[in-house]
Amino acid sequence: MPKSRVRKKKVYHSKSGSSSSTGDQYEPSPAWVPATAVGLIVFGIAWLTIFYLSGQEYPVLAWGNWNLAVGFVSMVLSLLVLSRWK
């Protein structure tokens, strides 16, 4: 039976053009990224909790159910900020 050919593995290079023997340099996220994300999550949960516990009168009575949008948008924004966290 014939023996199958051994294939060479492709070598991938980074697009940045920097070739270092230790690999890519790791840059941690700025300190504002996790702090902002946690702040947005806490703000969104607090907004929704106040809205439900107050019988839908607070934080802003005139907004009605748009208060739900404020809370959920805040939490979605926190997910977008967390996508920058390394």
Side-chain angles (χ1 to χ4, degrees):
M1 181 178 289
K3 189 175 182 182
S4 63
R5 290 186 286 160
V6 177
R7 296 181 187 151
K8 293 181 181 179
K9 292 184 179 180
K10 293 183 180 181
V11 178
Y12 294 100
H13 299 285
S14 65
K15 293 181 182 180
S16 64
S18 63
S19 60
S20 62
S21 61
T22 60
D24 293 64
Q25 295 294 325
Y26 174 75
E27 291 185 30
S29 299
W32 65 267
V33 172
T36 304
V38 169
L40 284 169
I41 290 171
V42 169
F43 174 77
I45 291 173
W47 190 280
L48 292 173
T49 303
I50 291 169
F51 180 66
Y52 279 118
L53 292 179
S54 69
Q56 301 178 355
E57 291 183 13
Y58 297 106
V60 181
L61 179 62
W63 289 357
N65 286 334
W66 283 103
N67 284 300
L68 294 172
V70 172
F72 285 116
V73 165
S74 172
M75 290 189 281
V76 168
L77 287 175
S78 72
L79 291 175
L80 293 175
V81 170
L82 282 174
S83 69
R84 296 181 49 116
W85 195 11
K86 296 178 186 174

